[in-house]
Coordinates of all heavy atoms in Angstrom, one line a residue:
M1 N 0.8 -1.2 0.0 CA 0.0 0.0 0.0 C 0.9 1.3 -0.1 O 1.8 1.3 0.7 CB -0.9 0.0 1.2 CG -2.0 0.9 1.2 SD -2.8 1.1 2.8 CE -3.1 -0.7 3.2
D2 N 0.6 2.2 -0.9 CA 1.4 3.4 -0.9 C 0.9 4.4 0.1 O -0.1 4.3 0.8 CB 1.5 3.9 -2.3 CG 0.1 4.4 -2.8 OD1 -0.8 4.5 -2.0 OD2 0.0 4.6 -4.1
Q3 N 1.7 5.5 0.3 CA 1.5 6.5 1.3 C 0.1 7.2 1.1 O -0.5 7.5 2.0 CB 2.6 7.5 1.3 CG 3.9 7.0 1.9 CD 3.8 6.5 3.3 OE1 3.5 5.2 3.6 NE2 3.9 7.4 4.3
R4 N -0.2 7.3 -0.2 CA -1.4 8.0 -0.5 C -2.6 7.2 0.0 O -3.5 7.8 0.6 CB -1.5 8.2 -2.1 CG -2.8 8.8 -2.6 CD -2.7 8.9 -4.1 NE -3.8 9.6 -4.7 CZ -4.9 8.8 -5.2 NH1 -4.9 7.6 -5.2 NH2 -5.9 9.5 -5.7
E5 N -2.6 6.0 -0.2 CA -3.7 5.2 0.2 C -3.7 5.0 1.8 O -4.8 5.0 2.4 CB -3.7 3.8 -0.4 CG -4.9 3.0 -0.2 CD -5.0 1.7 -1.0 OE1 -4.2 1.5 -2.0 OE2 -5.7 0.8 -0.5
K6 N -2.5 5.0 2.4 CA -2.5 5.0 3.8 C -3.1 6.2 4.4 O -3.8 6.2 5.4 CB -1.0 4.9 4.3 CG -0.4 3.5 4.3 CD 0.9 3.4 4.9 CE 1.7 2.2 4.5 NZ 3.1 2.2 4.8
A7 N -2.8 7.4 3.9 CA -3.3 8.6 4.3 C -4.8 8.6 4.1 O -5.6 9.1 5.0 CB -2.7 9.8 3.6
L8 N -5.3 8.1 3.0 CA -6.8 8.1 2.8 C -7.5 7.2 3.8 O -8.5 7.5 4.3 CB -7.0 7.6 1.3 CG -6.7 8.7 0.3 CD1 -6.6 8.1 -1.1 CD2 -7.7 9.8 0.2
R9 N -6.9 6.1 4.0 CA -7.4 5.1 5.0 C -7.5 5.8 6.4 O -8.4 5.7 7.1 CB -6.7 3.9 5.1 CG -7.0 2.9 3.9 CD -6.3 1.6 4.0 NE -6.6 0.8 2.9 CZ -6.9 -0.5 3.0 NH1 -6.9 -1.1 4.1 NH2 -7.3 -1.2 1.9
R10 N -6.4 6.4 6.8 CA -6.3 7.1 8.1 C -7.4 8.1 8.2 O -8.0 8.2 9.2 CB -4.9 7.7 8.2 CG -4.7 8.4 9.6 CD -3.7 9.5 9.6 NE -4.0 10.5 8.5 CZ -3.1 11.4 8.1 NH1 -1.9 11.4 8.6 NH2 -3.4 12.2 7.1
D11 N -7.7 8.9 7.1 CA -8.7 9.9 7.1 C -10.1 9.4 6.8 O -11.0 10.1 6.6 CB -8.2 11.0 6.2 CG -7.0 11.7 6.6 OD1 -6.7 11.7 7.8 OD2 -6.3 12.3 5.8
E12 N -10.2 8.1 6.8 CA -11.4 7.3 6.5 C -12.1 7.8 5.2 O -13.3 7.9 5.2 CB -12.3 7.6 7.8 CG -11.7 6.9 9.0 CD -12.5 7.2 10.2 OE1 -13.1 8.2 10.4 OE2 -12.8 6.2 11.0
W13 N -11.3 8.1 4.2 CA -11.8 8.5 2.9 C -12.8 9.6 2.9 O -13.8 9.7 2.3 CB -12.5 7.2 2.2 CG -11.4 6.1 2.0 CD1 -11.1 5.1 2.9 CD2 -10.6 5.9 0.8 NE1 -10.2 4.3 2.3 CE2 -9.8 4.7 1.1 CE3 -10.6 6.6 -0.4 CZ2 -9.0 4.3 0.1 CZ3 -9.7 6.0 -1.3 CH2 -8.9 4.9 -1.1
K14 N -12.4 10.6 3.8 CA -13.2 11.9 3.9 C -12.3 13.0 3.6 O -11.2 13.1 4.1 CB -13.8 12.0 5.3 CG -14.7 10.9 5.7 CD -16.1 11.4 5.7 CE -17.1 10.4 6.4 NZ -18.3 10.2 5.5
C15 N -12.8 14.0 2.9 CA -12.1 15.2 2.7 C -11.9 15.9 4.1 O -12.9 16.1 4.8 CB -12.8 16.1 1.8 SG -12.1 17.8 1.6
Q16 N -10.7 16.2 4.5 CA -10.4 16.9 5.7 C -10.7 18.3 5.8 O -10.6 18.9 6.8 CB -8.9 16.7 6.1 CG -8.5 15.2 6.2 CD -9.4 14.4 7.2 OE1 -9.2 14.7 8.4 NE2 -10.3 13.5 6.8
K17 N -11.2 18.8 4.8 CA -11.7 20.3 4.8 C -13.2 20.3 4.8 O -13.8 21.0 5.6 CB -11.1 21.0 3.6 CG -11.3 22.5 3.7 CD -10.6 23.3 2.7 CE -10.7 24.8 2.9 NZ -10.3 25.5 1.8
C18 N -13.9 19.7 3.8 CA -15.3 19.8 3.7 C -16.1 18.5 4.1 O -17.3 18.6 4.2 CB -15.7 20.2 2.3 SG -15.6 18.9 1.1
G19 N -15.4 17.5 4.3 CA -16.0 16.3 4.8 C -16.6 15.4 3.8 O -17.3 14.4 4.1
A20 N -16.4 15.8 2.5 CA -17.0 15.0 1.4 C -16.4 13.6 1.4 O -15.2 13.4 1.7 CB -16.7 15.7 0.1
D21 N -17.2 12.6 0.9 CA -16.8 11.2 0.8 C -15.8 11.2 -0.4 O -16.0 11.8 -1.5 CB -17.9 10.3 0.5 CG -18.7 10.1 1.7 OD1 -18.1 10.1 2.8 OD2 -20.0 9.9 1.6
L22 N -14.7 10.5 -0.2 CA -13.7 10.4 -1.3 C -13.7 9.0 -1.8 O -13.9 8.0 -1.1 CB -12.3 10.7 -0.8 CG -12.1 12.1 -0.2 CD1 -10.7 12.3 0.4 CD2 -12.3 13.2 -1.2
G23 N -13.4 8.9 -3.1 CA -13.1 7.6 -3.7 C -11.8 7.7 -4.5 O -11.2 8.8 -4.5
L24 N -11.4 6.6 -5.0 CA -10.1 6.6 -5.7 C -10.1 7.6 -6.9 O -9.0 8.2 -7.1 CB -9.7 5.2 -6.2 CG -9.2 4.2 -5.3 CD1 -9.1 2.9 -5.9 CD2 -7.8 4.7 -4.8
E25 N -11.2 7.9 -7.4 CA -11.2 8.8 -8.6 C -11.2 10.3 -8.2 O -10.7 11.1 -9.0 CB -12.4 8.5 -9.6 CG -13.8 8.7 -9.0 CD -14.2 7.8 -7.9 OE1 -13.7 6.6 -7.9 OE2 -14.9 8.2 -7.0
N26 N -11.7 10.7 -7.0 CA -11.6 12.1 -6.7 C -10.8 12.4 -5.5 O -10.7 13.6 -5.1 CB -13.1 12.6 -6.5 CG -13.7 12.0 -5.2 OD1 -13.2 11.0 -4.7 ND2 -14.8 12.7 -4.6
A27 N -10.1 11.5 -4.9 CA -9.2 11.7 -3.8 C -8.0 12.4 -4.2 O -7.3 12.0 -5.2 CB -9.0 10.4 -3.1
E28 N -7.6 13.4 -3.3 CA -6.3 14.1 -3.6 C -5.6 14.0 -2.2 O -6.2 14.2 -1.2 CB -6.5 15.6 -4.0 CG -7.4 15.8 -5.1 CD -6.7 15.8 -6.4 OE1 -5.4 16.0 -6.4 OE2 -7.3 15.7 -7.5
V29 N -4.3 13.9 -2.2 CA -3.5 13.9 -1.1 C -2.6 15.1 -1.1 O -1.8 15.3 -2.0 CB -2.7 12.6 -0.8 CG1 -1.8 12.7 0.4 CG2 -3.7 11.4 -0.5
H30 N -2.8 16.0 -0.1 CA -2.1 17.3 -0.1 C -1.0 17.2 0.9 O -1.1 16.6 2.0 CB -3.1 18.3 0.4 CG -2.5 19.6 0.6 ND1 -2.0 20.4 -0.5 CD2 -2.3 20.4 1.7 CE1 -1.4 21.5 0.0 NE2 -1.6 21.5 1.4
H31 N 0.1 17.7 0.5 CA 1.3 17.8 1.5 C 1.2 19.1 2.3 O 1.1 20.2 1.8 CB 2.6 18.0 0.6 CG 2.9 16.7 -0.1 ND1 2.9 16.7 -1.5 CD2 3.3 15.5 0.3 CE1 3.2 15.4 -1.9 NE2 3.5 14.7 -0.8
L32 N 1.1 18.9 3.6 CA 0.9 20.0 4.5 C 2.2 20.9 4.5 O 2.1 22.1 4.4 CB 0.8 19.5 6.0 CG -0.6 18.8 6.3 CD1 -0.6 18.2 7.6 CD2 -1.7 19.8 6.1
R33 N 3.3 20.3 4.5 CA 4.6 21.0 4.3 C 5.0 20.8 2.8 O 5.1 19.7 2.4 CB 5.7 20.5 5.2 CG 5.5 20.9 6.7 CD 6.5 20.1 7.5 NE 7.8 20.5 7.1 CZ 8.7 20.8 8.0 NH1 8.5 20.8 9.3 NH2 10.0 21.2 7.6
P34 N 5.1 21.9 2.1 CA 5.5 21.8 0.7 C 6.9 21.2 0.4 O 7.7 21.2 1.4 CB 5.4 23.2 0.2 CG 5.5 24.1 1.4 CD 5.1 23.3 2.6
V35 N 7.1 20.8 -0.8 CA 8.4 20.2 -1.1 C 9.6 21.1 -0.7 O 10.5 20.6 -0.2 CB 8.5 20.0 -2.6 CG1 9.7 19.3 -3.0 CG2 7.3 19.2 -3.1
R36 N 9.4 22.4 -0.9 CA 10.6 23.2 -0.6 C 10.9 23.3 1.0 O 12.0 23.7 1.3 CB 10.4 24.7 -1.1 CG 9.2 25.4 -0.5 CD 9.1 26.9 -1.0 NE 8.0 27.5 -0.3 CZ 6.8 27.4 -0.7 NH1 6.5 26.8 -1.7 NH2 5.8 28.1 0.0
D37 N 9.9 23.0 1.8 CA 10.1 23.0 3.3 C 10.7 21.6 3.8 O 10.8 21.6 5.0 CB 8.8 23.4 4.0 CG 8.6 24.9 3.9 OD1 9.4 25.6 3.2 OD2 7.6 25.3 4.4
T38 N 10.8 20.7 3.0 CA 11.2 19.3 3.5 C 12.5 19.0 2.9 O 12.9 19.4 1.8 CB 10.1 18.3 3.1 OG1 9.9 18.4 1.8 CG2 8.8 18.5 3.9
S39 N 13.3 18.3 3.7 CA 14.6 18.0 3.4 C 14.8 16.7 2.6 O 15.8 16.5 1.8 CB 15.5 17.9 4.6 OG 15.0 16.9 5.5
S40 N 13.8 15.8 2.6 CA 13.9 14.6 1.8 C 12.5 14.2 1.4 O 11.4 14.6 1.9 CB 14.5 13.5 2.7 OG 13.6 13.3 3.8
S41 N 12.4 13.3 0.4 CA 11.1 12.7 0.0 C 10.5 11.9 1.1 O 9.3 11.8 1.1 CB 11.3 12.0 -1.3 OG 12.1 10.9 -1.1
E42 N 11.4 11.3 1.9 CA 10.8 10.5 3.0 C 10.0 11.4 4.0 O 8.9 11.1 4.4 CB 12.0 9.9 3.8 CG 11.5 8.8 4.8 CD 12.7 8.3 5.7 OE1 13.9 8.5 5.2 OE2 12.4 7.9 6.8
E43 N 10.6 12.6 4.3 CA 10.0 13.5 5.1 C 8.7 14.0 4.5 O 7.6 14.2 5.1 CB 10.9 14.6 5.5 CG 10.4 15.5 6.6 CD 11.4 16.7 6.9 OE1 12.5 16.7 6.4 OE2 10.9 17.7 7.5
L44 N 8.8 14.4 3.2 CA 7.7 14.9 2.4 C 6.5 13.9 2.4 O 5.3 14.3 2.6 CB 8.1 15.1 1.0 CG 7.0 15.7 0.0 CD1 6.7 17.1 0.4 CD2 7.5 15.6 -1.4
N45 N 6.8 12.6 2.3 CA 5.7 11.6 2.2 C 5.4 10.9 3.5 O 4.7 9.9 3.5 CB 6.1 10.6 1.1 CG 6.0 11.2 -0.3 OD1 5.0 11.8 -0.6 ND2 7.1 11.2 -1.0
R46 N 5.9 11.4 4.6 CA 5.5 10.9 5.9 C 4.0 11.1 6.1 O 3.4 12.1 5.7 CB 6.3 11.7 7.0 CG 6.5 11.1 8.3 CD 7.3 11.9 9.1 NE 8.8 11.7 8.8 CZ 9.8 12.4 9.3 NH1 9.6 13.4 10.1 NH2 11.0 12.1 9.1
L47 N 3.4 10.1 6.8 CA 2.0 10.1 6.9 C 1.5 11.4 7.5 O 0.4 11.9 7.2 CB 1.5 8.9 7.7 CG 0.1 8.3 7.3 CD1 -0.1 8.2 5.8 CD2 -0.1 7.0 8.0
E48 N 2.2 11.9 8.5 CA 1.8 13.1 9.3 C 1.8 14.4 8.3 O 1.3 15.4 8.7 CB 2.7 13.4 10.4 CG 2.8 12.3 11.4 CD 3.8 11.3 11.1 OE1 5.1 11.6 11.2 OE2 3.6 10.2 10.6
N49 N 2.5 14.3 7.2 CA 2.6 15.4 6.3 C 1.5 15.4 5.2 O 1.4 16.2 4.4 CB 3.9 15.4 5.7 CG 4.2 16.8 4.9 OD1 3.9 17.8 5.5 ND2 4.8 16.7 3.7
L50 N 0.7 14.3 5.3 CA -0.3 14.1 4.2 C -1.7 14.4 4.8 O -2.0 13.9 5.9 CB -0.2 12.7 3.6 CG 1.1 12.3 3.1 CD1 1.1 10.9 2.6 CD2 1.6 13.2 1.9
T51 N -2.5 14.9 4.0 CA -4.0 15.1 4.4 C -4.8 14.9 3.1 O -4.5 15.2 2.1 CB -4.2 16.5 5.1 OG1 -5.4 16.5 5.7 CG2 -4.2 17.6 4.1
S52 N -6.0 14.3 3.4 CA -6.8 13.9 2.3 C -7.8 15.1 2.0 O -8.5 15.6 2.9 CB -7.6 12.7 2.7 OG -6.8 11.6 3.1
L53 N -7.9 15.4 0.7 CA -8.8 16.4 0.3 C -9.5 15.9 -1.0 O -9.0 15.1 -1.7 CB -8.0 17.7 -0.1 CG -7.3 18.4 1.0 CD1 -6.5 19.6 0.4 CD2 -8.2 19.0 2.1
C54 N -10.7 16.5 -1.2 CA -11.4 16.3 -2.4 C -10.8 17.1 -3.5 O -10.0 18.1 -3.2 CB -12.9 16.5 -2.3 SG -13.4 18.2 -2.1
S55 N -11.0 16.9 -4.7 CA -10.3 17.7 -5.8 C -10.6 19.2 -5.8 O -9.7 19.9 -6.0 CB -10.6 17.0 -7.2 OG -12.0 16.9 -7.4
S56 N -11.9 19.5 -5.5 CA -12.2 20.9 -5.4 C -11.5 21.7 -4.3 O -11.0 22.8 -4.4 CB -13.6 21.3 -5.5 OG -14.3 20.6 -4.3
C57 N -11.4 21.1 -3.1 CA -10.7 21.6 -2.0 C -9.3 21.7 -2.2 O -8.6 22.7 -1.9 CB -10.9 20.9 -0.6 SG -12.6 21.1 0.0
H58 N -8.8 20.7 -2.9 CA -7.3 20.7 -3.1 C -7.0 21.8 -4.1 O -5.9 22.5 -4.1 CB -6.9 19.4 -3.8 CG -5.4 19.2 -3.8 ND1 -4.8 18.7 -4.9 CD2 -4.4 19.4 -2.9 CE1 -3.4 18.7 -4.8 NE2 -3.2 19.1 -3.5
E59 N -7.8 22.0 -5.1 CA -7.6 23.1 -6.1 C -7.6 24.4 -5.4 O -6.8 25.3 -5.6 CB -8.8 23.0 -7.1 CG -8.4 23.6 -8.4 CD -9.6 23.3 -9.4 OE1 -9.8 22.1 -9.7 OE2 -10.3 24.2 -9.8
E60 N -8.5 24.6 -4.5 CA -8.6 25.8 -3.7 C -7.4 26.0 -2.9 O -6.8 27.1 -2.8 CB -9.9 25.7 -2.8 CG -10.4 27.0 -2.4 CD -11.8 26.8 -1.6 OE1 -12.7 26.2 -2.2 OE2 -11.8 27.1 -0.4
Q61 N -7.0 25.0 -2.2 CA -5.8 25.0 -1.4 C -4.6 25.4 -2.1 O -3.7 26.2 -1.7 CB -5.7 23.6 -0.7 CG -4.4 23.4 0.1 CD -4.2 24.5 1.1 OE1 -5.1 25.1 1.5 NE2 -2.9 24.5 1.5
T62 N -4.5 24.8 -3.3 CA -3.3 25.1 -4.1 C -3.3 26.5 -4.6 O -2.2 27.1 -4.6 CB -3.2 24.1 -5.3 OG1 -3.3 22.8 -4.8 CG2 -2.0 24.2 -6.1
E63 N -4.4 27.0 -4.9 CA -4.6 28.4 -5.3 C -4.2 29.4 -4.3 O -3.5 30.3 -4.4 CB -5.9 28.7 -5.8 CG -6.2 28.4 -7.3 CD -7.6 28.6 -7.7 OE1 -8.3 29.4 -7.1 OE2 -8.0 27.9 -8.6
H64 N -4.7 29.2 -3.1 CA -4.6 30.3 -2.0 C -3.4 30.0 -1.0 O -2.9 30.8 -0.5 CB -5.9 30.4 -1.3 CG -7.0 30.9 -2.2 ND1 -7.0 32.1 -2.8 CD2 -8.2 30.2 -2.6 CE1 -8.1 32.1 -3.6 NE2 -8.8 31.0 -3.4
N65 N -3.2 28.7 -0.8 CA -2.1 28.2 0.0 C -2.1 28.8 1.4 O -1.1 29.3 1.9 CB -0.8 28.5 -0.7 CG 0.3 27.6 -0.2 OD1 0.0 26.4 0.3 ND2 1.5 28.0 -0.2
E66 N -3.3 28.9 2.0 CA -3.3 29.6 3.2 C -4.1 28.7 4.3 O -4.2 29.1 5.4 CB -4.0 30.9 3.1 CG -5.5 30.8 2.7 CD -6.1 32.1 2.3 OE1 -5.3 33.1 2.1 OE2 -7.3 32.2 2.3
W67 N -4.5 27.6 3.9 CA -5.3 26.7 4.8 C -4.5 25.9 5.7 O -3.5 25.3 5.3 CB -6.2 25.8 4.0 CG -6.9 24.8 4.8 CD1 -7.9 25.1 5.6 CD2 -6.7 23.4 4.8 NE1 -8.4 23.9 6.2 CE2 -7.6 22.9 5.7 CE3 -5.8 22.6 4.1 CZ2 -7.7 21.5 5.9 CZ3 -5.9 21.3 4.3 CH2 -6.8 20.7 5.3
Q68 N -4.8 25.9 7.0 CA -4.2 25.0 8.0 C -2.6 25.1 8.0 O -2.0 24.0 7.8 CB -4.7 23.6 7.8 CG -5.8 23.3 8.7 CD -6.0 21.8 8.9 OE1 -5.1 21.0 8.5 NE2 -7.2 21.4 9.4
R69 N -2.1 26.2 8.1 CA -0.6 26.3 8.2 C -0.4 26.1 9.7 O -0.5 27.0 10.4 CB -0.2 27.6 7.7 CG 1.3 27.7 7.7 CD 1.8 27.5 6.3 NE 3.3 27.6 6.4 CZ 4.1 26.7 5.7 NH1 3.6 25.8 5.0 NH2 5.4 26.8 5.9
Q70 N 0.0 24.9 10.0 CA 0.2 24.6 11.5 C 1.6 24.8 11.9 O 2.5 24.1 11.3 CB -0.3 23.2 11.7 CG -1.8 23.0 11.6 CD -2.2 21.5 11.7 OE1 -1.4 20.6 11.5 NE2 -3.4 21.3 12.1
E71 N 1.8 25.7 12.8 CA 3.1 25.9 13.3 C 3.3 24.9 14.5 O 2.3 24.7 15.3 CB 3.3 27.4 13.8 CG 3.0 28.4 12.8 CD 4.0 28.3 11.6 OE1 5.1 27.8 11.8 OE2 3.6 28.6 10.5
P72 N 4.5 24.5 14.7 CA 4.7 23.5 15.7 C 4.6 24.1 17.1 O 4.8 25.3 17.3 CB 6.1 23.0 15.5 CG 6.7 23.8 14.4 CD 5.7 24.6 13.8
Ligands
ZN1 ZN1 -13.4 19.0 0.1

């Protein structure tokens, strides 16, 4: 099982923003920390760095890039 599917299972196949049901065809996995903020692909694809979104929320998120910026 790849990281994408693990993240989707952990999030119970629900969009973490709007709560929509996700399926393989509309599920998107978003990186909370973008590529430029991570030092390795391992860190980038860590389960804690992944969140499940539907395609419309992901599109919105990519455009505005302001949602859930969690500081440690
Ligand atoms: Zn959504």
Side-chain angles (χ1 to χ4, degrees):
M1 197 193 303
D2 62 16
Q3 289 301 94
R4 177 176 180 266
E5 193 173 337
K6 282 187 195 166
L8 287 163
R9 283 185 179 220
R10 181 203 56 193
D11 294 336
E12 300 178 315
W13 296 87
K14 298 252 189 229
C15 172
Q16 298 302 291
K17 193 174 182 189
C18 74
D21 289 325
L22 300 176
L24 279 173
E25 66 292 330
N26 68 341
E28 306 271 344
V29 172
H30 174 67
H31 293 112
L32 292 170
R33 288 171 62 129
V35 179
R36 64 173 183 278
D37 284 1
T38 51
S39 53
S40 64
S41 61
E42 193 191 334
E43 192 182 344
L44 180 69
N45 290 307
R46 205 172 274 171
L47 212 49
E48 302 88 77
N49 193 42
L50 302 175
T51 194
S52 307
L53 295 176
C54 68
S55 49
S56 60
C57 287
H58 192 229
E59 206 170 294
E60 204 174 298
Q61 169 58 17
T62 306
E63 272 174 32
H64 302 294
N65 201 28
E66 62 190 20
W67 172 69
Q68 265 198 16
R69 184 100 186 136
Q70 292 173 338
E71 300 303 329

